[in-house]
Amino acid sequence: KQEVTQIPAALSVPEGENLVLNCSFTDSAIYNLQWFRQDPGKGLTSLLLIQSSQREQTSGRLNASLDKSSGRSTLYIAASQPGDSATYLCAVRHYGQNFVFGPGTRLSVLP
Amino acid sequence: EAGVAQSPRYKIIEKRQSVAFWCNPISGHATLYWYQQILGQGPKLLIQFQNNGVVDDSQLPKDRFSAERLKGVDSTLKIQPAKLEDSAVYLCASSLEQGPYEQYFGPGTRLTVT
């Protein structure tokens, strides 16, 4: 059974810092991995999706990498802003199966 | 393009009462998902529909939860009777039926059972 963990559970940084969020999964035979952002009281917003054949994806200040062999993905946020404050979740999908979500990392970017 | 719509946004009920949530997916998305998200946890899949057929309902508590997707478009999730532990956010998502199955989420319904 796939298990997904995210470290740290919470993170507080000053504005302008570069930061890394981690996602680990126990079964490396994945189809793809998706990073989401969730604002308080809101649904999930898709940030990046990485297929199993890819090593990384980039969108603006965000870069997500995937290392299947070690069961890890990282989300890199450059030059963080207060508007980046939210909970970040990763979700892992196997062939023919549905997403398994991690518990999320709650990020606070202080002005 | 309109996103995934859900209603109501908030609902407060007493235990043993019934409640229903509605979801309208993105136009053209054949696959629809219902998730339960308990505070501080990631979403947990309750049921997945492909058009109007059920693909995966292995984690749906079938003694009290039911869902339907008539005509393969919008969907309703019902809880009857509700328990205190059903307090959560219920999220609906949709995706195309072919890969990479990127999911798009609605705003969710926050349910409080007292």
Side-chain angles (χ1 to χ4, degrees), chain B residues 37-41 87-89 110:
Chain B
Q37 186 178 25
I38 294 172
L39 188 64
Q41 299 180 17
S87 294
V89 176
R110 181 174 297 278

Side-chain angles (χ1 to χ4, degrees), chain B residues 63-97:
Chain B
D63 58 334
R64 298 184 300 106
F65 286 64
S66 64
E68 60 182 11
R69 190 183 184 197
L70 301 177
K71 302 180 181 178
V73 181
D74 56 350
S75 175
T76 302
L77 176 69
K78 297 179 181 178
I79 307 175
Q80 181 179 13
K83 293 184 176 181
L84 296 177
E85 58 261 36
D86 297 332
S87 294
V89 176
Y90 290 84
L91 296 163
C92 179
S94 69
S95 70
L96 294 172
E97 62 183 310

